[in-house]
Amino acid sequence: MRKIIVLSLLMTLVAAVPAFAGKIGYVDSIKLVTESEPAKAASEKMEKDFGPENKEVTNLIQQYKKKMEEMKVQAAALSESAREDKKVELLRLKRDVEDRQRALARKVQAANESVRHTIAAMIVKATQDFAKKNQYDMVFDKAYPSMVYAAPGLDVTKEVLVELNRVYREGKK
């Protein structure tokens, strides 16, 4: 009995497939995320927001390396207590560098997460608007493994990129 139900469902699905002759397209969301105006603006904003702090951390790393080299050169000439003092100073500097790196990484990650959610919502809206305007029945996202094959003629990424940039510009006003 179970086999009959499964077979009848399968037959119904197979019969329905040829009846569908809708307009189908796909977008490459990875391309949209990397080439769109909102993505480029977000990247510039992140660089502006975190660039100076990143330079500070880089300078701290340089300082640490320089002091390490100095310690290696001076180690033989220093007394035992002076060597210990230098080691303690280096450990403090190393801890400071690591703390600053972790703090910066956390800030960048949080900002990145927020930006990704915003851009993802814009991509969804732009894709839906494009599909409705152009009477598409389906638009798939190529970046997800649900798509096995798509003819190149179905790619609407460029058109959605234009729409995404339009939506972004409207939102900026």
Side-chain angles (χ1 to χ4, degrees):
M1 181 69 167
R2 206 172 178 185
K3 287 182 181 179
I4 293 172
I5 292 173
V6 172
L7 254 172
S8 63
L9 282 172
L10 187 60
M11 294 293 277
T12 305
L13 285 173
V14 169
V17 171
F20 180 77
K23 197 170 179 183
I24 301 171
Y26 72 91
V27 296
D28 185 348
S29 63
I30 298 204
K31 192 172 185 178
L32 293 175
V33 166
T34 57
E35 295 181 13
S36 66
E37 289 175 22
K40 290 175 183 174
S43 179
E44 289 171 9
K45 185 179 184 320
M46 295 277 283
E47 180 60 37
K48 180 183 168 194
D49 291 349
F50 298 108
E53 192 171 350
N54 189 37
K55 285 181 184 175
E56 287 177 26
V57 171
T58 303
N59 289 339
L60 270 176
I61 292 169
Q62 302 270 333
Q63 264 184 335
Y64 174 72
K65 288 179 180 178
K66 184 178 177 184
K67 289 194 185 244
M68 282 288 288
E69 289 301 315
E70 289 173 3
M71 170 82 172
K72 287 178 185 176
V73 171
Q74 299 171 352
L78 293 174
S79 67
E80 188 64 34
S81 65
R83 243 190 323 250
E84 284 302 313
D85 290 344
K86 286 275 190 185
K87 283 182 183 179
V88 169
E89 181 186 342
L90 280 172
L91 282 173
R92 282 189 192 131
L93 187 56
K94 181 180 179 182
R95 231 177 292 133
D96 188 34
V97 167
E98 289 171 347
D99 290 346
R100 296 281 300 272
Q101 282 179 316
R102 279 192 294 274
L104 178 60
R106 279 193 301 270
K107 287 180 191 176
V108 168
Q109 184 178 9
N112 222 349
E113 195 74 24
S114 172
V115 165
R116 269 189 281 161
H117 286 294
T118 303
I119 292 174
M122 290 173 71
I123 288 172
V124 168
K125 182 177 178 357
T127 304
Q128 289 172 344
D129 290 351
F130 173 81
K132 288 174 187 173
K133 274 187 213 171
N134 295 286
Q135 300 175 339
Y136 275 79
D137 293 308
M138 285 185 262
V139 177
F140 294 98
D141 187 345
K142 184 179 178 181
Y144 292 97
S146 61
M147 184 179 296
V148 178
Y149 172 81
L154 294 176
D155 187 355
V156 294
T157 304
K158 288 179 184 174
E159 292 86 352
V160 173
L161 180 63
V162 169
E163 186 68 25
L164 174 59
N165 292 336
R166 183 195 61 76
V167 168
Y168 173 71
R169 281 188 231 108
E170 284 180 6
K172 268 179 102 172
K173 293 178 185 176

